[in-house]
Amino acid sequence: MRISLDWVSDYLPTNLSLTEVSERLTATGLEVEKAEVFDAVPGGLRHVVVGEVRSLRQHPNADRLRVTQVDVGAPEWLNIVCGAANVAQGQKVAVAMVGAELHPWGSESALVIKKSALRGEASEGMICAEDELGLGSNHDGIMVLSADAPVGQPMAEYLGLESVNVLEIGLTPNRMDAMSHYGVARDLRASMLRDGLDILWTEPTTVDLSAVKTGATRLTLNDSHSCPQYGALKISGLLGGQASAEPIQQRLRALGLNPINALVDASNYVMHALGHPLHCFDASAVQGEITVRRAHAGEKLTTLDGVERTLHAEDQVIANGTAAMCLAGVFGGQQSGVSSSTTSVVVESAWFDPVVTRAMARRHGLHTDASFRYERGVDPAMGLPALELFWTLIEAQFPDAKIEGLDWIHAADSRFQPTVIEVSMDRIAELLGDRLPDEACATILESLDIEVVKQNGPLWTLSLPVYRWDVRREADVAEELLRVWGFNNLAEPEGMRVRSQPEARRNAESLRRIAADYLVAHGLNEVMNLSLTRLSWFSNHPSIPAAEVVQVLNPLSQDQGVMRPTLLYSGLETIAYNLKRQEERLAIFEFGRRYGQNSEGRNEAGELGIWLCGTYPDAHYSRPNASANFGILKGLVCGLLQRFGISFTERPGTDVAGLWASRLDLVGLQGETLAYLGWPDSHALEATDVDKPVLASLIQWDALVAAVQKVRTSYIEPPRFPKVVRDLALVVPVGTAYGTLVDGLQSAPVKTLESVELFDVYQGKGLPEGSMSYGVRLTFRDTSKTLQDQQVEGTLKRMLEGAEKHCGAKLR
């Protein structure tokens, strides 16, 4: 949220520097993320001042130039050569001195004023025309000011176009009370009072409307819970197309808003000043009647953006006697909006239920300044002051404007009553780790509009302001005291006691760093995706039941409608995004969590996803057409498990519609699945708009972490005795997985078997029909002696018998 310090000074004039204000606001919880200077005119008219032409003579070497002596309030007059025909002695003019940076009208480049010589005459500045200052397109001559313009006064100050300091505040969602200049000034006031600084607090100067007549607009509330308060101010004698006053426009521009017209600008001004949204209806569309109701199912409304929307039965609308005029608290309607022909308006000031407003905004994919505030709960007490400020602005700009009437409906609502709670200052001291002086606590609470009703020793009874929806508990009060008192002002204890908790031998975070380093070293990039993902992917998934998908009740958008049940689709979406931007080499990984639910409740688990697509590893002259293949993916995953010392076996995976077209599973010694590897199926690729083959692996991170805890690392000396290697060609039925063959070979216990490696796969001429051949290298070693051939042959015989029984393997 952008805040203008010039605007804040309307309520709290202060001599604090920009740095001091930023530090105080940040300390109170309104973190200042950026501070900048906003120029009302490009360049800010710096080094441009009011000058007076004291003398004038013809240039000796140019007929169209004249040499002037200009008083700019400095000890010496400036010698300036001017070519304007209308320059004359005694004029007050705009003078750009040496060093000024001008941005002429229509020019993209800046003009820096330098000391120069024109036809032999020194020129120490420039007497400017309107377009040269960037104030307009007029270049008929120099800009002649009024005779009473003070010499030496900065032009920005003289024209009321001074630059202002603007702060960008990172506002947390609970701080609705600070979503305005008034609210920020209130926090700054509390910080200054804490330090005993003198302040001059000024409430907004407005016209009192409490005695205005009623009866101009008939109001009806069909649901007093969703809208317990509604006010309508009818004003006539307006010109809808009239631009707002320049000071209003400048303040809105400083916040990044584009001025539209006097009526819309006034409502935006009020919202950013006081934090309470207003909405202007053309009175001819209102037809003298306003009803706040729920929409009829299937009812249509064309909003201000020109989109025709089909309304939901739970939507809350503002309607006239026949049709909906706008989405209440979210977005206006096109037919009832203010236009250049508007001469009379009805201004809405209401309080809409945050839950209803939020659901409606999400349903229609709308996010407006008004809904942003209504969703968090505006201050109901600001309803009338907001209208009073609006009328004050309008009255100053429209001489013929008059109020036709102000009508209100106030329903009894407990939410509008101050909350009274009892807190223990002893417990608050325990929470803060320091006992704050009671007098300081009372002062802080008072500065935050929290009334101390009664003090009974350490027990204080507090009345909380309605607008502080986020303060309801003792801990909340402690937080309020702390943020104003300041973390840095808490007393430091003489010593600290730390209770250490037993931690896993190798915790998940340290393992995560090891895994990330391993994958990055192999050329992969880490990505981070949201845990919220698209509802459309899983609303009718072929293998993930909709009942097992965790849906978000009020999603920010349809793209964030569910908690992801798998990381697979997130990675594929990242692949698709990069493929569309001509990235040919994609090797990525992500740590994240997947979510689900069943009859026992909701659950979540960690996963590590790996995706390969295109040229991986990097192309090299020795392999110019290298591309990712299953062997490379398997090597990455197996290498990672081996890096942690985890023993595992391979198992053919089951194809899963919507997830895997072909899959291999890596299984731990306890039978737990450690990783899935394979090719995502066509459904997943089409859903994420991926048009190239992708290899993926989902490592079950929680299972991996648990397996690592059981690993015991030991050190052994290098082997002293030689190994014995046997290469075998084993014929098996077509379709037999290599892992199945290995299981068969290892079915007979062999202590001397060191490793089994695949070096060839063959199918074709020379083999029986329906058969294939695996080339397997077996390595044997005895750590205590040299193996004899007869020992190895006997071992081989037992292994071949086991393989034949297990999968029908025969020696070729």
Side-chain angles (χ1 to χ4, degrees):
M1 184 179 72
R2 290 172 66 87
I3 291 294
S4 165
L5 290 190
D6 174 64
W7 203 335
V8 169
S9 67
D10 285 359
Y11 315 112
L12 183 64
T14 174
N15 294 321
L16 297 177
S17 68
L18 175 63
T19 300
E20 289 175 309
V21 171
S22 299
E23 289 176 350
R24 285 183 179 276
L25 291 178
T26 298
T28 62
L30 303 180
E31 182 181 1
V32 176
E33 298 177 340
K34 184 171 68 173
E36 64 184 34
V37 175
F38 175 79
D39 294 328
V41 177
L45 299 180
R46 296 177 187 86
H47 304 297
V48 181
V49 300
V50 175
E52 181 179 357
V53 180
R54 290 301 185 97
S55 69
L56 179 71
R57 63 183 174 86
Q58 184 64 43
H59 193 294
N61 302 318
D63 295 339
R64 296 186 178 183
L65 298 179
R66 279 174 280 187
V67 182
T68 66
Q69 290 282 306
V70 183
D71 180 5
V72 293
E76 297 183 1
W77 296 349
L78 299 180
N79 196 74
I80 299 177
V81 176
C82 180
N86 66 327
V87 65
Q89 186 173 346
Q91 288 176 335
K92 298 290 182 68
V93 293
V95 180
M97 298 188 295
V98 173
E101 182 180 291
L102 305 181
H103 294 258
W105 188 269
S107 175
E108 296 182 359
S109 57
L111 172 64
V112 179
I113 304 301
K114 301 177 181 178
K115 186 175 181 178
S116 61
L118 297 177
R119 297 289 185 92
E121 289 286 338
S123 186
E124 301 171 305
M126 178 178 175
I127 302 176
C128 301
E130 179 183 287
D131 66 329
E132 291 166 337
L133 295 176
L135 300 175
S137 58
N138 190 340
H139 193 68
D140 292 339
I142 61 169
M143 191 174 178
V144 180
L145 310 179
S146 63
D148 60 354
V151 172
Q153 183 180 24
M155 276 296 293
E157 182 181 323
Y158 173 75
L159 296 172
L161 298 175
E162 297 168 281
S163 299
V164 295
N165 291 314
V166 176
L167 304 179
E168 188 129 347
I169 294 177
L171 204 61
T172 53
N174 65 307
R175 291 301 308 277
M176 174 56 214
D177 62 294
M179 291 184 187
S180 65
H181 287 78
Y182 184 83
V184 171
R186 189 164 47 201
D187 261 27
L188 183 58
R189 177 188 65 179
S191 174
M192 295 174 66
L193 286 173
R194 176 203 68 197
D195 294 336
L197 300 180
D198 293 331
I199 65 165
L200 178 62
W201 180 256
T202 306
E203 292 291 334
T205 302
T206 60
V207 178
D208 184 11
L209 299 181
S210 59
V212 172
K213 65 179 182 179
T214 62
T217 308
R218 295 189 305 276
L219 301 179
T220 305
L221 300 182
N222 286 355
D223 184 350
S224 60
H225 178 80
S226 298
C227 178
Q229 176 174 291
Y230 194 94
L233 174 66
K234 187 174 182 180
I235 305 173
S236 62
L238 306 172
L239 294 173
Q242 179 175 315
S244 55
E246 188 63 30
I248 294 177
Q249 293 192 39
Q250 291 303 330
R251 284 195 166 178
L252 294 179
R253 289 193 183 100
L255 303 185
L257 301 176
N258 292 321
I260 298 173
N261 58 52
L263 297 173
V264 175
D265 292 353
S267 63
N268 284 331
Y269 186 99
V270 171
M271 178 173 64
H272 287 279
L274 304 180
H276 197 292
L278 301 177
H279 183 69
C280 294
F281 296 102
D282 191 311
S284 62
V286 173
Q287 301 171 4
E289 178 181 355
I290 285 180
T291 300
V292 184
R293 61 171 173 82
R294 295 302 173 99
H296 307 309
E299 188 174 5
K300 304 289 185 181
L301 173 65
T302 301
T303 46
L304 288 172
D305 56 0
V307 176
E308 183 182 67
R309 303 179 187 275
T310 301
L311 304 184
H312 189 276
E314 291 300 314
D315 290 341
Q316 184 168 235
V317 299
I318 309 301
N320 56 23
T322 58
M325 295 189 294
C326 78
L327 293 170
V330 178
F331 209 24
Q334 194 174 68
Q335 297 300 317
S336 62
V338 174
S339 67
S340 58
S341 61
T342 298
T343 59
S344 179
V345 296
V346 174
V347 186
E348 164 194 282
S349 178
W351 193 91
F352 299 117
D353 182 75
V355 175
V356 174
T357 306
R358 185 182 302 114
M360 183 165 51
R362 299 300 176 267
R363 232 177 346 254
H364 294 283
L366 294 170
H367 181 77
T368 63
D369 283 342
S371 68
F372 181 76
R373 287 162 172 79
Y374 279 126
E375 288 174 22
R376 288 155 178 78
V378 300
D379 182 1
M382 276 294 179
L384 180 58
L387 288 177
E388 290 176 335
L389 178 56
F390 180 88
W391 169 245
T392 303
L393 298 174
I394 294 301
E395 186 182 36
Q397 299 177 81
F398 295 93
D400 297 330
K402 67 176 183 177
I403 295 177
E404 299 293 338
L406 173 59
D407 296 277
W408 283 98
I409 290 186
H410 296 279
D413 196 305
S414 59
R415 291 172 292 183
F416 294 174
Q417 299 301 317
T419 301
V420 177
I421 63 173
E422 186 178 74
V423 299
S424 167
M425 300 307 289
D426 290 341
R427 284 196 296 269
I428 286 178
E430 292 177 4
L431 286 172
L432 300 183
D434 188 14
R435 183 63 182 252
L436 307 186
D438 285 354
E439 183 179 349
C441 290
T443 300
I444 291 173
L445 294 174
E446 181 183 0
S447 69
L448 297 174
D449 294 341
I450 299 176
E451 181 186 357
V452 180
V453 178
K454 185 173 66 174
Q455 296 184 32
N456 183 16
L459 297 179
W460 289 22
T461 302
L462 307 178
S463 177
L464 307 173
V466 174
Y467 66 83
R468 289 309 303 270
W469 312 101
D470 60 320
V471 180
R472 288 294 181 269
R473 304 168 301 163
E474 192 171 75
D476 299 330
V477 175
E479 182 182 359
E480 292 300 295
L481 291 170
L482 178 58
R483 71 182 183 84
V484 177
W485 178 259
F487 286 86
N488 295 335
N489 295 323
L490 291 177
E492 294 185 8
E494 295 181 0
M496 295 184 67
R497 295 180 180 179
V498 178
R499 179 180 297 175
S500 61
Q501 296 291 335
E503 196 175 73
R505 193 166 56 91
R506 302 178 73 178
N507 61 57
E509 184 56 35
S510 67
L511 297 176
R512 174 175 174 153
R513 289 196 295 269
I514 293 171
D517 290 344
Y518 168 86
L519 294 171
V520 169
H522 282 78
L524 278 75
N525 293 310
E526 184 173 7
V527 300
M528 298 177 69
N529 289 295
L530 293 176
S531 294
L532 299 171
T533 192
R534 297 175 187 266
L535 173 63
S536 59
W537 287 345
F538 303 104
S539 58
N540 191 26
H541 195 272
S543 61
I544 302 177
E548 295 181 6
V549 177
V550 180
Q551 296 198 20
V552 180
L553 292 179
N554 293 310
L556 294 174
S557 70
Q558 293 302 312
D559 289 346
Q560 300 176 16
V562 298
M563 305 293 288
R564 58 183 176 187
T566 173
L567 264 65
L568 183 65
Y569 281 64
S570 299
L572 292 177
E573 186 177 32
T574 303
I575 293 287
Y577 178 88
N578 284 274
L579 286 176
K580 292 172 183 176
R581 286 154 181 79
Q582 288 75 52
E583 290 292 337
E584 299 296 332
R585 180 198 180 280
L586 294 170
I588 59 176
F589 69 95
E590 178 183 8
F591 290 94
R593 301 192 73 77
R594 55 177 169 82
Y595 304 85
Q597 60 186 8
N598 50 37
S599 58
E600 298 179 0
R602 296 188 177 94
N603 55 78
E604 59 180 279
E607 281 188 338
L608 165 58
I610 299 174
W611 297 265
L612 303 179
C613 180
T615 55
Y616 175 83
D618 290 333
H620 189 266
Y621 73 89
S622 63
R623 50 176 192 277
N625 298 317
S627 60
N629 58 53
F630 183 79
I632 291 174
L633 176 66
K634 181 181 176 184
L636 276 173
V637 177
C638 292
L640 179 60
L641 297 183
Q642 291 164 356
R643 171 69 181 80
F644 291 130
I646 298 174
S647 299
F648 59 90
T649 59
E650 301 175 11
R651 182 177 64 195
T654 304
D655 302 346
V656 181
L659 295 173
W660 301 102
S662 182
R663 194 182 80 191
L664 174 70
D665 298 348
L666 301 183
V667 182
L669 297 180
Q670 305 299 318
E672 74 280 19
T673 301
L674 297 174
Y676 304 109
L677 304 82
W679 290 265
D681 79 343
S682 58
H683 178 93
L685 297 178
E686 290 172 5
T688 52
D689 202 19
V690 175
D691 57 4
K692 288 190 176 182
V694 177
L695 285 155
S697 174
L698 294 179
I699 297 173
Q700 305 308 292
W701 186 250
D702 292 348
L704 181 147
V705 172
V708 170
Q709 307 309 318
K710 302 172 184 175
V711 173
R712 295 294 179 267
T713 303
S714 59
Y715 297 89
I716 58 175
E717 62 178 342
R720 293 183 295 166
F721 299 98
K723 63 184 177 182
V724 177
V725 177
R726 292 288 188 269
D727 290 344
L728 306 177
L730 298 174
V731 179
V732 296
V734 170
T736 302
Y738 171 66
T740 304
L741 174 62
V742 172
D743 289 343
L745 290 170
Q746 294 179 335
S747 60
V750 179
K751 294 181 180 180
T752 57
L753 181 64
E754 191 173 82
S755 65
V756 182
E757 300 174 61
L758 177 68
F759 66 84
D760 182 48
V761 179
Y762 175 74
Q763 184 177 355
K765 186 177 179 180
L767 292 179
E769 186 176 353
S771 300
M772 60 184 296
S773 172
Y774 285 117
V776 179
R777 177 166 297 150
L778 306 178
T779 301
F780 302 90
R781 191 193 308 269
D782 192 325
T783 57
S784 60
K785 61 183 178 181
T786 300
L787 283 175
Q788 303 298 318
D789 285 344
Q790 58 269 30
Q791 290 178 276
V792 175
E793 294 304 324
T795 300
L796 273 176
K797 182 178 179 183
R798 293 197 309 275
M799 293 178 67
L800 290 173
E801 288 173 352
E804 184 174 7
K805 290 179 182 178
H806 192 74
C807 59
K810 294 184 179 180
L811 191 62
R812 183 176 172 185

